[in-house]
Amino acid sequence: NAGVTQTPKFQVLKTGQSMTLQCAQDMNHEYMSWYRQDPGMGLRLIHYSVGAGITDQGEVPNGYNVSRSTTEDFPLRLLSAAPSQTSVYFCASSSHINEQYFGPGTRLTVT
Amino acid sequence: DAKTTQPTSMDCAEGRAANLPCNHSTISGNEYVYWYRQIHSQGPQYIIHGLKNNETNEMASLIITEDRKSSTLILPHATLRDTAVYYCIVRVATSRAGGTSYGKLTFGQGTILTVHP
């Protein structure tokens, strides 16, 4: 199993540009989530999904959209990038209430 | 969500036990205590979790007080590779249609554990 994969690893955007951060897992996990981590801070939940077709907002959802058309994929879309969205983004998945598996992260810079 | 309080930083000598405390005085009866760690620049890694009994796995032990208001993560023989930020998290159950529950993880600031030679 590849586990949780994220692409790209690094990205630089200009203010106002849009893009999609990709997240995929091959463990048949129902639960997937997106977090962001700013320098020196803990992770904050952006959006999560409890299964295909079901998504919900986390702590900091503004400026981001998600969809879950398949069990495997959970893309995060930035609609109009802002410098405040400069961060490291982590995707995670889990099969039940137990441990979540995190991807390696995407480092995004918005200029 | 039950909030957690952890010391900002701790030091430990290599080969000694590292004991990381966590306070969660408002924890509810059906909430679990989870521990994750994050080594620099990597994604968080699950360590252990428990409800009210003490738990042990190949990585660590988790001691939860009888009143469940605090817990301690124990790394029995810390190594330099255990240097990381350790997060104590209380799980919030999220229900979906059909009765299956999943947990959202709310990360706090964590404890920076530095293991030195």
Side-chain angles (χ1 to χ4, degrees):
Chain A
N1 287 349
V4 179
T5 58
Q6 292 184 237
T7 56
K9 286 188 170 56
F10 300 93
Q11 182 70 50
V12 178
L13 289 179
K14 293 190 171 150
T15 298
Q17 287 184 315
S18 62
M19 80 159 293
T20 299
L21 279 62
Q22 302 292 343
C23 175
Q25 53 92 6
D26 60 359
M27 297 172 282
N28 202 33
H29 287 170
E30 289 199 3
Y31 185 83
M32 296 185 75
S33 54
W34 276 102
Y35 297 85
R36 61 176 287 175
Q37 185 173 34
D38 300 322
M41 297 183 65
L43 281 76
R44 292 185 291 171
L45 182 65
I46 304 172
H47 285 284
Y48 66 98
S49 168
V50 297
I54 305 171
T55 64
D56 205 348
Q57 296 181 349
E59 181 185 358
V60 287
N62 292 341
Y64 307 95
N65 273 359
V66 292
S67 60
R68 185 91 180 274
S69 57
T70 67
T71 299
E72 294 78 19
D73 300 299
F74 190 43
L76 178 72
R77 282 182 287 276
L78 280 69
L79 309 174
S80 177
S84 60
Q85 293 179 305
T86 293
S87 190
V88 181
Y89 291 84
F90 291 102
C91 178
S93 75
S94 67
S95 61
H96 200 256
I97 62 172
N98 292 332
E99 67 265 28
Q100 292 193 18
Y101 295 87
F102 284 81
T106 293
R107 282 147 185 82
L108 175 68
T109 301
V110 183
T111 61
Chain B
D1 299 0
K3 295 188 183 300
T4 62
T5 303
Q6 299 177 250
T8 302
S9 62
M10 295 183 64
D11 288 334
C12 179
E14 189 176 21
R16 304 295 295 269
N19 297 286
L20 290 86
C22 180
N23 286 323
H24 32 78
S25 59
T26 60
I27 192 170
S28 298
N30 62 348
E31 291 180 315
Y32 289 73
V33 179
Y34 284 78
W35 283 84
Y36 281 74
R37 71 180 183 184
Q38 187 174 24
I39 298 170
H40 181 62
S41 297
Q42 299 181 19
Q45 176 190 22
Y46 166 82
I47 301 173
I48 198 167
H49 74 283
L51 183 62
K52 53 185 175 182
N53 297 322
N54 297 339
E55 302 289 343
T56 296
N57 62 20
E58 65 276 6
M59 288 183 68
S61 295
L62 174 60
I63 308 298
I64 302 175
T65 57
E66 191 170 345
D67 63 7
R68 301 210 325 123
K69 293 185 177 183
S70 65
S71 61
T72 300
L73 177 74
I74 301 173
L75 307 178
H77 305 287
T79 70
L80 298 179
R81 288 176 294 181
D82 291 322
T83 293
V85 180
Y86 287 77
Y87 296 99
C88 170
I89 300 163
V90 174
R91 182 183 70 85
V92 176
T94 302
S95 298
R96 61 169 290 191
T100 304
S101 296
Y102 294 88
K104 294 187 293 183
L105 296 176
T106 301
F107 287 78
Q109 296 297 312
T111 296
I112 301 171
L113 174 68
T114 303
V115 181
H116 51 84

